[in-house]
Amino acid sequence: MYESYYGLSDKPFRLRPDPHFFFGSKGHKRAMAYLDYGLAQGEGFIVITGDVGAGKTTLVRSLLRRIESEQIVAAHLVNTHLNADDILRGVVAGFGLPYEDASSKTALLSRLEAYLRACDKAGKRALLIVDEAQNLTPRVVEELRMLSNFQTDDKSLLQTFLLGQPEFRATLHSPGMQQLRQRVIATYHLGPMDALETQAYIEHRLLTVGWKGDPSFSAGAHAAIYQFTGGIPRKTNLLCDRLLLMGFLEEMHAFTEADIATVIGDIDQEFQAPVAAGMAGMAGMASAATDDGAGFSVEQAVFGHQYPAVLDERMLRLEKSMGSVLSILKRIVRTPAGANQAMDGE
């Protein structure tokens, strides 16, 4: 909606991870260096942790975007609320192999091993990326560790990146994870950006879509953004997207600290706890969605374009609908009082 108003080629602050907007803060550069190091080693586990919205998934998608697909085949699992059997099916499906007809776990393992050996003979390396690793149970983690046993005489056939929130470190250091820890070749915790990096992050995303200084941000505005977001990229995206929307509605071309406070107040009000009746209604909607088959499946556990695309399409339709309503409201607000009275007299 506000893109054309500010002369931007696209929305700069989408919530979905997009490697096109990757910003190399100090933390993200270090995390990328660990991922590059892991790829160079060609074996074991690399563990990257970070708070919600810190940019872990964007980091990995940026890595996948620039590596040579001719040399590496990657499977990306994003739904990890799976049991030990389902995680194996997810891995098999992630590499594009059929899994429905497998009669047993042994059959799945044999199919995966044959695929990994075929990749090795073709000069390719297999990389498994597991997102939201904090949801993995110890038994599921052990299943993933067992997959690292696929080897030739001189190399591993599968390498794994584990990405998760900080609580995954507790799982990693639990007493039963000693064998996994022995195969972890590097770990890194991705922290938030500092104030200067947050400002540079905002300007980077704006410049990526053709920003030429309109709208402008005062020093106080940047300070207020950082204070609210704490340097977390996703929170920064949410706040700045709402800020540009307000700027479009109010026909603003410069943002101050007061404008940031207004948007923050709106966000806080929207996320207030609902009343009991509202909670009951939401529970009913969730139950209906489950009955309609809206639960997660193995396909949804595997990273691909279908599931995110559905969400993007729904959001696009919602934005278009909101844009039409807002345009009508703006015309009403601009109409002089006399004109309104004349319309009422008709």
Side-chain angles (χ1 to χ4, degrees), residues 5-324:
Y5 181 73
Y6 290 117
L8 307 177
S9 60
D10 197 0
K11 291 190 67 174
F13 299 108
R14 295 185 184 277
L15 294 183
R16 71 170 184 263
D18 188 342
H20 182 63
F21 289 99
F22 177 74
F23 174 73
S25 70
K26 289 180 293 186
H28 286 81
K29 286 180 179 178
R30 290 174 183 173
M32 186 65 79
Y34 275 99
L35 294 178
D36 285 332
Y37 171 78
L39 283 177
Q41 297 302 304
E43 63 179 354
F45 290 78
I46 298 288
V47 177
I48 302 292
T49 58
D51 291 324
V52 177
K56 302 181 294 297
T57 304
T58 302
L59 181 77
V60 170
R61 293 188 184 180
S62 299
L63 174 70
L64 294 177
R65 188 183 185 190
R66 64 181 178 82
I67 62 178
E68 297 183 15
S69 59
E70 296 82 4
Q71 297 180 356
I72 296 179
V73 290
H76 191 172
L77 305 187
V78 297
N79 176 27
T80 49
H81 287 287
L82 302 171
N83 60 36
D85 292 332
D86 285 338
I87 196 69
L88 178 57
R89 295 188 186 95
V91 173
V92 171
F95 283 111
L97 305 174
Y99 64 91
E100 299 91 341
D101 61 336
S103 58
S104 64
K105 178 179 178 180
T106 301
L108 285 171
L109 289 171
S110 298
R111 184 170 297 173
L112 179 60
E113 182 178 12
Y115 173 78
L116 296 177
R117 294 192 179 280
C119 287
D120 181 60
K121 289 182 180 180
K124 297 181 179 181
R125 293 168 48 194
L127 174 63
L128 173 63
I129 301 168
V130 182
D131 221 328
E132 304 296 338
Q134 74 280 352
N135 298 325
L136 300 174
T137 65
R139 184 180 174 189
V140 171
V141 174
E142 178 63 13
E143 287 291 331
L144 293 175
R145 186 195 67 79
M146 293 294 291
L147 296 182
S148 64
N149 290 330
F150 290 134
Q151 299 178 358
T152 64
D153 291 337
D154 60 346
K155 69 177 69 172
S156 296
L157 294 176
L158 180 66
Q159 186 176 26
T160 303
F161 290 173
L162 298 175
L163 313 176
Q165 295 173 24
E167 51 264 37
F168 179 64
R169 289 177 173 268
T171 301
L172 184 62
H173 290 91
S174 60
M177 292 293 106
Q178 182 176 358
Q179 293 190 67
L180 175 65
R181 289 196 299 272
Q182 292 175 352
R183 301 193 183 195
V184 173
I185 60 177
T187 65
Y188 184 78
H189 180 72
L190 182 61
M193 301 177 291
D194 60 28
L196 291 178
E197 287 178 324
T198 300
Q199 177 175 342
Y201 171 83
I202 293 169
E203 294 174 350
H204 166 77
R205 294 188 74 101
L206 286 167
L207 289 169
T208 301
V209 295
W211 178 61
K212 296 181 174 60
D214 179 23
S216 63
F217 296 73
S218 70
H222 279 296
I225 292 172
Y226 176 71
Q227 183 177 6
F228 176 75
T229 65
I232 298 297
R234 187 181 300 167
K235 293 185 67 176
T236 303
N237 288 355
L238 172 64
L239 178 57
C240 289
D241 183 67
R242 292 292 298 271
L243 182 66
L244 292 180
L245 177 60
M246 184 187 76
F248 162 69
L249 296 175
E250 301 293 335
E251 298 184 351
M252 303 168 64
H253 294 275
F255 296 124
T256 65
E257 182 178 358
D259 300 319
I260 308 302
T262 298
V263 176
I264 292 174
D266 291 341
I267 293 174
D268 287 342
Q269 185 176 9
E270 292 169 6
F271 283 90
Q272 288 179 354
V275 296
M279 291 295 290
M282 292 174 64
M285 292 174 62
S287 176
T290 303
D291 293 340
D292 290 339
F296 287 109
S297 63
V298 172
E299 290 85 350
Q300 291 169 342
V302 180
F303 169 70
H305 298 289
Q306 181 178 2
Y307 185 58
V310 173
L311 295 180
D312 289 344
E313 182 180 351
R314 291 177 179 174
M315 288 300 295
L316 182 59
R317 290 201 301 267
L318 179 59
E319 286 182 358
K320 289 181 178 180
S321 177
M322 289 178 62
S324 299

